[in-house]
Amino acid sequence: MTERFGVIGVCGANGNLIARILKERGYEVMGTDLSSEDECRFAHSLDGYDIELYYGETPDEFFKKADYVVPPASLSKDSAVFKKINNVYELDDVINDFRPDKPVFGITGTNGKTTCTTLLKKIAYDNAIRPCEHNLEKMQGNAEYIPILQSRLNGDVAILEVGTFGVPGTVKRTVVNSCIESGLITNITPDHIGDLGSFMDYAHVKAEFIEGLKGKKIIVNGQDPTIIGLLKELEFNGEIITFGVDWTFEKVNPKECVCGSEISVKEIISGSGYYFCKNCGLTTPQVDYIATNVDLANRKFDLHTPNEKLEVEMSIDGLHNVYNVTGVIIAAHEFMKLPFDKILESVKSFTGVEGRMEKVAEINGREIYVDYAHNPAGVQTVLDQFKKLYGDFTTVITVSSESGYDGDLAIFEKALEFSRYVVPASAASQRIAQEKLLEEPSLSEKIIFDSVDDFVKNGTLGASYDEVKEGLTKALNTDSKLIVAIGEAATKFKSCVDAI
Ligand SMILES: [Zn+2]
């Protein structure tokens, strides 16, 4: 007789994924959750699975019928519910007993990983390769155990976004437990630093991705000194494929080298470009794949592979996306063994990820874009692209930086640098605006500010629906033809443009 599992907490990400893994592997599965069916966030992910569900109160028969019960990690062993369980089967048992039975590819980096993951999956689908999907509505794929469990669901391949909220150990755990066999790193620039102390501490969390792939294959942005420095420091012994973009650098900015010295990076995008460390000798390598003749207005470039020249056409904007697309083309070719012509067809029809340089409205001939950018490097990269493509614009800041005050200040300064007008819409940016105006009253011509709101930030969400709407309304009162709203709140509440 087939064994029957009872999973508690199927309205949470872990419980939901575990129930589906067990069912797909041929077991009988029952699920339960304290939520009602209407409140169950991920109820639809269970559609079509033939899992017996008990919402609200869990009946005693659930415990009687189950050969094994999977409790949520948060359930106390002293609780009444836990005491009803005869055979406990835990998250770790799922991870150990059910291995991913397919090739697994991981994507990490500070910025660009969602775009890269989405594009690589699109290329897979276009070529009848089915990636496993977590199907958890509005859930970021890199949180908690999602990538680890996702790789155990049905599919021909697993393409996983590996994030970090800056906690040491999390990336290594994901790489090892997801059985990632090759991966892509887009860039490593300052983010989440508040939690960790320094840029190098953060970089070393990202470096766990490299450590986890030792002896395997890794595709990296060769123009990022942090990535190349870490590969050297960790004595990475697998296969390295590097890529870069041939572009005249525009600024020189400092970046800490892994050796502790400071490098002057001739930047192409934030944190990446041409570099030479006078202390340890780290320098931009001759990359294996180089994008040349980049034509941003017509969204095309030439990509020189080790063997041929490809003509790449995109439907997305920006130099940072030339890096993203290049990394993904290599990944699709190396990991999924697809021919370049098939890959380029898919790239051409990729219109981007929602909330990334996304046009959300046109009001009285003025265009409104939103972008998820929420750290200084991300903000710089995106605003720089808008500047190159469109010239003048007004930036609405809805960010509350994860790096706290320093992050908020750096983001505000980037906005001032690139935009004609700045509208602070998050309480964090309004506090910075207030300070800036006290220091330099003449900035009142540029900063559109009246008072500091009392919004209390919630995780990375820096502003409310009303504040985003108010910020956009103020921006529409300027004479800019283009408005760019940055931050999670701007993308989350983008529908507010309908109410303006
Ligand atoms: Zn160095």
Side-chain angles (χ1 to χ4, degrees), residues 70-297:
V70 187
S74 57
L75 186 68
S76 158
K77 295 203 162 41
D78 300 323
S79 65
V81 172
F82 199 94
K83 286 179 180 151
K84 289 187 187 173
I85 303 174
N86 296 317
N87 288 315
V88 178
Y89 192 80
E90 289 180 289
L91 174 66
D92 282 342
D93 299 320
V94 177
I95 293 171
N96 292 326
D97 294 347
F98 302 98
R99 308 305 290 172
D101 45 1
K102 60 188 76 70
V104 185
F105 189 81
I107 297 175
T108 197
T110 306
N111 291 308
K113 52 185 177 301
T114 304
T115 297
C116 288
T117 307
T118 312
L119 174 55
L120 189 57
K121 279 190 190 171
K122 177 189 185 294
I123 296 171
Y125 282 119
D126 288 351
N127 289 281
I129 298 168
R130 203 164 42 100
C132 39
E133 295 281 12
H134 59 68
N135 283 333
L136 301 173
E137 220 179 312
K138 295 200 170 141
M139 212 36 206
Q140 259 202 333
N142 58 24
E144 296 174 70
Y145 281 86
I146 293 176
I148 296 172
L149 294 171
Q150 183 185 348
S151 65
R152 286 158 167 80
L153 286 166
N154 281 348
D156 302 321
V157 294
I159 296 169
L160 307 176
E161 180 176 335
V162 181
T164 163
F165 297 96
V167 183
T170 49
V171 174
K172 183 83 181 277
R173 184 182 71 196
T174 303
V175 175
V176 171
N177 286 322
S178 312
C179 307
I180 294 178
E181 58 187 47
S182 53
L184 165 67
I185 310 182
T186 57
N187 48 64
I188 302 179
T189 49
D191 190 18
H192 297 282
I193 291 178
D195 311 336
L196 272 166
S198 76
F199 173 50
M200 271 308 136
D201 291 334
Y202 164 76
H204 280 101
V205 174
K206 286 281 174 201
E208 293 174 13
F209 189 81
I210 297 173
E211 258 176 63
L213 283 174
K214 273 196 175 170
K216 298 172 182 167
K217 190 188 285 187
I218 197 162
I219 301 162
V220 298
N221 170 0
Q223 290 172 331
D224 186 321
T226 313
I227 299 175
I228 298 299
L230 288 169
L231 286 166
K232 199 169 135 187
E233 183 189 87
L234 295 168
E235 298 173 337
F236 183 77
N237 57 358
E239 186 188 345
I240 302 172
I241 302 173
T242 55
F243 64 91
V245 177
D246 179 29
W247 186 266
T248 312
F249 73 92
E250 287 159 18
K251 304 185 239 329
V252 179
N253 270 315
K255 195 175 189 187
E256 189 182 347
C257 182
V258 285
C259 75
S261 268
E262 193 177 274
I263 321 177
S264 298
V265 182
K266 296 173 177 165
E267 285 188 340
I268 299 172
I269 57 166
S270 178
S272 294
Y274 307 105
Y275 53 86
F276 173 68
C277 175
K278 288 182 187 125
N279 181 43
C280 71
L282 186 77
T283 190
T284 327
Q286 186 78 39
V287 295
D288 302 309
Y289 286 70
I290 184 92
T292 64
N293 294 325
V294 178
D295 179 347
L296 289 176

Side-chain angles (χ1 to χ4, degrees), residues 312-334:
V312 183
E313 291 178 71
M314 313 190 289
S315 297
I316 49 177
D317 284 316
L319 207 46
H320 60 303
N321 278 324
V322 175
Y323 280 91
N324 292 336
V325 164
T326 298
V328 172
I329 290 173
I330 304 169
H333 185 66
E334 292 284 335

Side-chain angles (χ1 to χ4, degrees), residues 394-400 408 411-412 415 421-434 447-457 461-475 483-487 489-490 493 496:
T394 294
T395 299
V396 179
I397 308 176
T398 76
V399 186
S400 176
D408 288 319
I411 287 166
F412 199 95
Y421 302 103
V422 176
V423 180
S426 61
S429 61
Q430 288 163 348
R431 277 191 283 274
I432 306 280
Q434 195 171 37
I447 301 173
I448 318 291
F449 168 77
D450 42 44
S451 62
V452 177
D453 290 328
D454 51 10
F455 183 78
V456 179
K457 76 167 188 165
L461 193 68
S464 66
Y465 175 96
D466 288 335
E467 285 163 331
V468 175
K469 186 178 149 201
E470 195 190 327
L472 288 172
T473 307
K474 283 181 185 163
I483 290 141
V484 180
I486 52 165
F493 302 126
C496 76

